[in-house]
Amino acid sequence: MINLHLPAKYPSDKTAIAPSILSADLLNLGERIKQAQEAGADWLHIDIMDGHFVPNLSFGPATVKAIDGFTDLAQDVHLMVENPADFIEPFIKAGASSLTLHIESKGNLKKLLEGIKACGLKCGISIKPDTKPEALLPFADLIDLILVMSVYPGFGGQKFLPSSPAQIAAVRDIITKTGRPIWLEVDGGINAETAPKAVKAGADALVAGNAVFGQSDIKKALSDIRAAADVKI
């Protein structure tokens, strides 16, 4: 089992890029993951959808297990599910490196996060575009990562919402006030055009699906996003 790689020095000296396999060619997933790793991806983002919390289905523990045996990239597993308690143990056993739960999902989230940490994994909380950042405050002393959705979750290939920078900035302010090394990850519509907007607002990790795995040249695609993320606007 590989833990999510946090930088030795926080914040990191570069923006982390996490390609999302939701947009990958599943018939050639291993080869595409290999290309992403060689291109310098920092970790993989794995979207898990149950058809209830979002109107779509995606991957199960078997996918995570197969990837865990293929690459040494950490697997950042994002549980877009109604009842995360039903999914945590199977994905831990499959080889997830971190588990991110939605604040809008059901159950005692603090207890679930504590259980994830007790198993040696990193844990995170995700918020939808309409969720107030203040809802994160009860979890700020526990989590390693906050995932801000810059689209409405459920489908890949959506456009970055114009309201996202304000929400990202509000979350960054919360993180700064905690004094803790919490990653601020942004997911949704990230590409070379939107990456600098997210980073300027406070993101230090970017999930990119179609902008990486949807391109024929993964190395160039990832390089373009990383270069754009470093541009001050």
Side-chain angles (χ1 to χ4, degrees):
M1 186 183 299
I2 308 165
N3 280 329
L4 182 61
H5 305 304
L6 296 180
K9 179 182 178 182
Y10 189 91
S12 176
D13 59 356
K14 68 173 183 177
T15 302
I17 309 295
S20 170
I21 69 166
L22 191 64
S23 298
D25 176 2
L26 298 183
L27 291 179
N28 296 286
L29 182 58
E31 178 60 28
R32 299 298 267 174
I33 288 174
K34 179 181 177 183
Q35 291 172 11
Q37 182 169 352
E38 292 174 347
D42 294 283
W43 60 77
L44 294 174
H45 189 79
I46 318 293
D47 287 310
I48 307 302
M49 305 178 187
D50 65 353
H52 298 284
F53 185 76
V54 292
N56 199 3
L57 291 168
S58 60
F59 310 108
T63 302
V64 170
K65 184 176 181 179
I67 293 172
D68 188 52
F70 179 78
T71 179
D72 59 2
L73 285 175
Q75 293 193 68
D76 172 30
V77 175
H78 176 196
L79 295 179
M80 289 185 274
V81 300
E82 192 170 83
N83 293 292
D86 297 336
F87 291 78
I88 289 172
E89 184 177 354
F91 279 101
I92 290 176
K93 288 181 176 179
S97 310
S98 66
L99 290 173
T100 295
L101 315 183
H102 261 275
I103 203 165
E104 305 89 358
S105 60
K106 296 179 180 179
N108 186 332
L109 297 186
K110 193 155 190 178
K111 184 177 179 180
L112 293 176
L113 291 166
E114 289 171 346
I116 294 168
K117 297 276 279 190
C119 291
L121 278 73
K122 305 297 182 183
C123 68
I125 282 283
S126 182
I127 58 173
K128 294 180 180 180
D130 295 335
T131 298
K132 299 295 184 184
E134 292 76 16
L136 296 163
L137 291 172
F139 309 98
D141 62 342
L142 179 63
I143 53 179
D144 303 292
L145 180 148
I146 294 172
L147 174 59
V148 174
M149 294 299 299
S150 45
V151 297
Y152 290 97
F155 297 92
Q158 298 183 65
K159 292 185 178 180
F160 185 86
L161 291 170
S163 59
S164 299
Q167 191 183 42
I168 296 166
V171 173
R172 170 51 62 192
D173 185 57
I174 288 172
I175 291 173
T176 299
K177 288 177 179 177
T178 70
R180 298 187 61 241
I182 301 171
W183 281 97
L184 201 174
E185 186 176 39
V186 175
D187 181 6
I190 294 295
N191 52 39
E193 179 183 347
T194 58
K197 298 177 183 178
V199 172
K200 183 182 179 183
D204 46 27
L206 303 173
V207 175
N210 186 61
V212 174
F213 280 129
Q215 309 306 308
S216 57
D217 189 338
I218 286 180
K219 183 175 181 180
K220 182 180 185 303
L222 201 148
S223 177
D224 287 348
I225 293 172
R226 196 182 296 284
D230 291 336
V231 172
K232 303 294 187 294
I233 63 172

